[in-house]
Amino acid sequence: MSIIMVSIFSLILGAILSIVASRIPKGEEDVSWVWPFCNSCGKKLSLKEIFIPANLIIYKGKCPNCKHPTHSRSLQITLLTIFIYISLYLKFGITIQFFAFLILMSILIAVFFIDMDHKIIPEDLIIAGLAGGIPLFIYNIFYEFPIYMDRSWWNPLAGALSVSILLLLIAIIGNWYYKTDAMGIGDVKLFIPIGIFLGWRMVIMAFILSAFVGSFITIIMMLLKVKKLRDVVPFGPFIVTGTFLTILFGNDILNWYLQFYQYN
């Protein structure tokens, strides 16, 4: 029953996140963005037009007024939301970890698509991540949050600063050496809330996995001639991917590495 409830919840949140991902980059940050409308003709969409399964069955994914496709990106966001929410539930069950990472990944799903489409990471999402991390910081003072791997009160603060300071230094040195933006400041800021949720050990893991995934995908795109060497590739989607992999497998990867290191 719980997995059904999580699936239904993810459908609803996926629809909301698709609205956030489409409206925030346009500067539409007031409450009017809560109810979606067609980006082509401006028609305010009804409930059955918003709900993707019903829309696909009844309207074939198009606006009933202008016949313009309404859910190509929304469908992708919703499917990704369902996949991530169910993965978190299967990994953690209904626990404090599940709800904490639900908050983080919801924000990061919006980051994933906004950075991919517009090459920006909005400040509002960074602030939302920080706000979501404050209760977790307080919780860690009194109870153990397992992914931190210790009860040190400063662990989330160290997580917030470790990778972000490293990336800031890389950005400053890169800007000085190449005379251009070597790394977006949004990527630097994004690791602050991620570090609060993951702690210093796992945020370093998230950074390493992000860099690995980013390098692998970029090389594949260059081999397929989708991207050229000097083309700008947004790093945000790779950060989101690396963070999600860390949430699911970070402790297992770290334990395997420590055992491998001790064995050798």
Side-chain angles (χ1 to χ4, degrees), residues 18-89:
S18 67
I19 299 168
V20 171
S22 65
R23 301 294 174 82
I24 284 185
K26 300 175 184 178
E28 301 171 1
E29 300 169 8
D30 57 74
V31 294
S32 64
W33 61 257
V34 173
W35 199 267
F37 56 81
C38 175
N39 290 326
S40 179
C41 68
K43 177 186 180 298
K44 190 174 181 179
L45 300 175
S46 66
L47 282 173
K48 62 182 177 181
E49 293 160 3
I50 298 170
F51 190 59
I52 288 177
N55 183 284
L56 291 173
I57 294 172
I58 300 172
Y59 303 110
K60 299 180 180 179
K62 298 179 180 180
C63 171
N65 185 50
C66 67
K67 307 305 179 184
H68 186 271
T70 58
H71 286 299
S72 56
R73 179 61 84 203
S74 297
L75 180 60
Q76 295 171 14
I77 294 174
T78 301
L79 291 176
L80 181 61
T81 303
I82 294 171
F83 172 74
I84 287 176
Y85 281 26
I86 291 178
S87 297
L88 292 176
Y89 171 74

Side-chain angles (χ1 to χ4, degrees), residues 206-222:
F207 171 64
I208 293 172
L209 291 177
S210 302
F212 177 79
V213 172
S215 300
F216 179 76
I217 297 297
T218 301
I219 290 172
I220 294 297
M221 289 192 294
M222 287 192 295

Side-chain angles (χ1 to χ4, degrees), residues 11-208:
L11 271 174
I12 297 171
L13 264 292
I16 295 175
L17 290 174
S18 67
I19 299 168
V20 171
S22 65
R23 301 294 174 82
I24 284 185
K26 300 175 184 178
E28 301 171 1
E29 300 169 8
D30 57 74
V31 294
S32 64
W33 61 257
V34 173
W35 199 267
F37 56 81
C38 175
N39 290 326
S40 179
C41 68
K43 177 186 180 298
K44 190 174 181 179
L45 300 175
S46 66
L47 282 173
K48 62 182 177 181
E49 293 160 3
I50 298 170
F51 190 59
I52 288 177
N55 183 284
L56 291 173
I57 294 172
I58 300 172
Y59 303 110
K60 299 180 180 179
K62 298 179 180 180
C63 171
N65 185 50
C66 67
K67 307 305 179 184
H68 186 271
T70 58
H71 286 299
S72 56
R73 179 61 84 203
S74 297
L75 180 60
Q76 295 171 14
I77 294 174
T78 301
L79 291 176
L80 181 61
T81 303
I82 294 171
F83 172 74
I84 287 176
Y85 281 26
I86 291 178
S87 297
L88 292 176
Y89 171 74
L90 293 176
K91 175 70 175 181
F92 301 109
I94 303 300
T95 61
I96 186 66
Q97 291 187 90
F98 171 74
F99 290 108
F101 294 136
L102 202 70
I103 293 171
L104 177 62
M105 288 309 305
S106 296
I107 295 168
L108 293 184
I109 289 169
V111 168
F112 184 101
F113 288 97
I114 290 175
D115 198 30
M116 186 163 56
D117 292 340
H118 304 278
K119 295 182 175 61
I120 60 170
I121 298 177
E123 293 281 346
D124 291 336
L125 296 179
I126 303 292
I127 294 172
L130 291 173
I134 291 174
L136 187 59
F137 174 79
I138 297 173
Y139 177 90
N140 181 63
I141 296 175
F142 301 99
Y143 305 97
E144 181 180 359
F145 191 61
I147 201 168
Y148 290 164
M149 303 179 75
D150 66 59
R151 278 283 307 281
S152 302
W153 68 268
W154 47 262
N155 199 315
L157 293 181
L161 296 176
S162 54
V163 171
S164 55
I165 289 177
L166 173 63
L167 293 183
L168 181 60
L169 292 174
I170 292 174
I172 292 172
I173 294 172
N175 291 352
W176 169 76
Y177 185 81
Y178 293 106
K179 308 300 180 184
T180 185
D181 291 335
M183 174 169 288
I185 196 66
D187 299 328
V188 177
K189 294 178 181 179
L190 184 60
F191 270 105
I192 298 176
I194 291 174
I196 293 176
F197 279 87
L198 298 186
W200 71 268
R201 292 179 180 86
M202 288 299 108
V203 76
I204 293 173
M205 175 75 69
F207 171 64
I208 293 172

